[in-house]
Every structure is written in C-alpha cells, then in structure tokens.
Amino acid sequence: VGSEGTLVIIVGIQFSLSPLPAATSSVLGSFASLEEATVAATKAVETGASACELLDRTFLAYASSAPSGNVTLRERMEGAAAILLAEVEGETGDAAAARARDLAAAFRAAGATNVDIALTPEREHDLWELRHAASPILAALDNSTSMQFIEDGAVPLPRLPDYIEGVRRALANRQVSGVIFGHAGDAHVHVNPLVDVRESSWRDKVAGLLDDVVALTAQLGGTLTGEHGDGRLRTPLLDRVWHKQALRAFSLVKKAFDPANIFNPGVKIPLPNQKAIEDIKYDPS
C-alpha cells in the first residue's frame, strides 16, 4: 500500500470487491500533436473514462514495423504524434455506447484526425491489441535492450506534453533511442530507453539519461514513480523531488515501525552512500 515492504509484514488481507461493469465501449483517437492528445486525455478523465492510454510516436514507429494483421491500427499510426485509447463503462450496452460516442465527440473537438469507436468485445479487443503488444514488441528488438530505469514518472496532467518533449530531448542528447507510452489519464508515462550494451559507453549514457529525466521531473513538479514504487533504484534520488520535511517524516515513520532497519533496507530510506545504479541485470558482465 505504498511502503514497499519497509514497515510491516502483512499476514492477511480482506478484500472488498466491486462488481464488474455490465458493459464497456472503447474509443481510439489519433492526434497530430501531444498538446491535442493531452487536452483529449483531460476530457476522458472529466467524462469518467475507466482507462485512458497514450502511445507516443516513438512507440508507434516501432509498432508500425512489427508484424501485425491489424490494418486499421497501421493506418491510424501514419502521421500521428500520439494515439489515445480510452474505455468507458455503462450499466447497459446502450449506456456504454452513448458514453463512447460522447467521448469520441470530445476527441474530435480536441483535434483528433481519426476516431474509431468499438461497441462490441471483439472490436474492443482489436483496438486494444496494440497497447497490449507493447512489451512483446520491445522484447523482440534486435541489438537493443529495453531498460526500465526511468519508466515510471508522473507529472501534473497539463505538464504532460512538456514531460514527453523533455524526455525526447534527453534521449536525443544522449544518443539513445527510446519508447514512450503509458497512462495518459494519470499523466503517468512509461519510458523504455533502448540501450546497446555492446557499446563501451552504455553505462555513462544510462547514468546521464537518468540524471536528465530526474531533473526534468523535479522541474515540472512531478514524481519519479507513479505506479511501480521507488525501490532501490529511485530511493537515492528522492531528495531531488521531495522537500526536506517530507524526507524527515519518511525517516521518522521508518524508525517508529522498524528501528532495526530489517524490512527492505535501502528502499524508501537510502542507506549510506547508496547509488541509484549499481548492479544491473542487463550488464553482459
């Protein structure tokens, strides 16, 4: 629930379940700019969409070259700076369809160049196929390792275009390719740099890129982790995005629950001289 195993051992959980929605519909919108896609993502949040995912042009470039029988998705990728995929729920099929049509109209008003509406499970599956294929597409790339060391940043929604453009610049400056996709409704973005570990300078590029993106995140008032947690990777960097009073509170809570520091040491509260990047599982050595 956020402490990442640093405070207690959980020995039992009682769940309270919510019913599944009676019906869903989905909307895909193609946008010529990130700004338009961000406006549309805001509209999706305002209309209560249950999901809103962004596929940036960096991802689309790799996806378009991957084997796929989905002609519609290939057409929508052409010339798009970003694609949004959103899902809405309803108590009936008609209610979900009406919400999807309303969201499609909002996408068009935000500047979508193409909009597709899926009202059946089969059509929804076709639209979401590209998003679900993200990890397999990246894993299949030759001569590059999809590294997840800056993959979890989140910023205020209006700053999402600034964040993505800043990440693009950082990747270009470090001469590293990268793929950007994620949860647009939360302005939470996954960034997977594609690193060639055969290069002697790959470690320097990784360290420099991480530093660039941490600085960008702090500048935009964001957080280094919107979903996966700080872990040992981001814990030494927390002083870049949290103020001293907050960090002191983290430490006091940790000492109150775990004075001997036996629960996940080095997570949330850094150990002396702890570094963000030390042993890396991708390292050929």
Side-chain angles (χ1 to χ4, degrees):
V1 292
S3 69
E4 301 178 42
T6 59
L7 302 182
V8 297
I9 292 176
I10 297 172
V11 295
I13 301 174
Q14 181 174 347
F15 288 101
S16 177
L17 302 180
S18 298
L20 290 171
T24 63
S25 294
S26 293
V27 180
L28 181 150
S30 301
F31 297 88
S33 74
L34 278 171
E35 288 75 14
E36 291 172 338
T38 301
V39 170
T42 303
K43 296 296 182 184
V45 172
E46 291 173 352
T47 58
S50 53
C52 184
E53 298 286 293
L54 178 141
L55 302 175
D56 170 75
R57 72 182 185 209
T58 56
F59 172 79
L60 299 177
Y62 287 99
S64 63
S65 61
S68 173
N70 196 319
V71 177
T72 298
L73 287 177
R74 285 183 178 273
E75 292 174 349
R76 296 299 179 257
M77 292 178 205
E78 294 178 3
I83 282 178
L84 285 185
L85 275 166
E87 182 188 71
V88 294
E89 300 175 350
E91 296 179 359
T92 65
D94 289 343
R99 290 180 178 174
R101 294 188 183 99
D102 288 343
L103 185 54
F107 277 13
R108 292 189 186 96
T113 55
N114 288 290
V115 176
D116 293 275
I117 303 175
L119 304 180
T120 66
E122 294 77 17
R123 284 283 293 123
E124 286 195 276
H125 176 271
D126 288 344
L127 287 192
W128 285 92
E129 181 180 38
L130 181 62
R131 174 63 179 91
H132 295 153
S135 293
I137 287 173
L138 299 181
L141 295 176
D142 294 329
N143 300 328
S144 293
T145 299
S146 176
M147 289 195 183
Q148 299 170 336
F149 60 92
I150 56 171
E151 91 284 16
D152 209 31
V155 296
L157 187 53
R159 307 306 301 272
L160 181 59
D162 299 326
Y163 181 75
I164 293 178
E165 290 292 0
V167 169
R168 286 176 177 171
R169 283 194 303 272
L171 289 165
N173 290 341
R174 299 289 176 179
Q175 297 181 311
V176 177
S177 298
V179 178
I180 302 172
F181 58 98
H183 315 304
D186 299 322
H188 170 223
V189 180
H190 296 309
V191 181
N192 287 31
L194 304 176
V195 180
D196 189 345
V197 296
R198 299 172 302 174
E199 295 182 358
S200 59
S201 63
W202 73 267
R203 275 184 166 272
D204 292 335
K205 286 185 176 181
V206 165
L209 184 56
L210 177 60
D211 186 69
D212 293 343
V213 176
V214 170
L216 172 68
T217 306
Q219 176 188 344
L220 297 176
T223 178
L224 301 179
T225 174
E227 181 179 35
H228 295 160
D230 293 312
R232 289 168 181 81
L233 171 62
R234 285 173 279 269
T235 287
L237 305 170
L238 293 182
D239 61 353
R240 304 272 298 272
V241 294
W242 288 94
H243 52 79
K244 291 181 179 180
Q245 294 91 333
L247 296 175
R248 182 173 180 272
F250 293 172
S251 180
L252 290 173
V253 171
K254 173 68 170 175
K255 289 177 181 177
F257 277 82
D258 182 22
N261 197 28
I262 60 174
F263 292 148
N264 257 1
V267 176
K268 289 294 192 183
I269 307 300
L271 298 172
N273 302 315
Q274 183 175 339
K275 297 179 181 179
I277 296 180
E278 295 182 292
D279 294 331
I280 302 178
K281 66 181 179 180
Y282 311 106
D283 192 334
S285 64

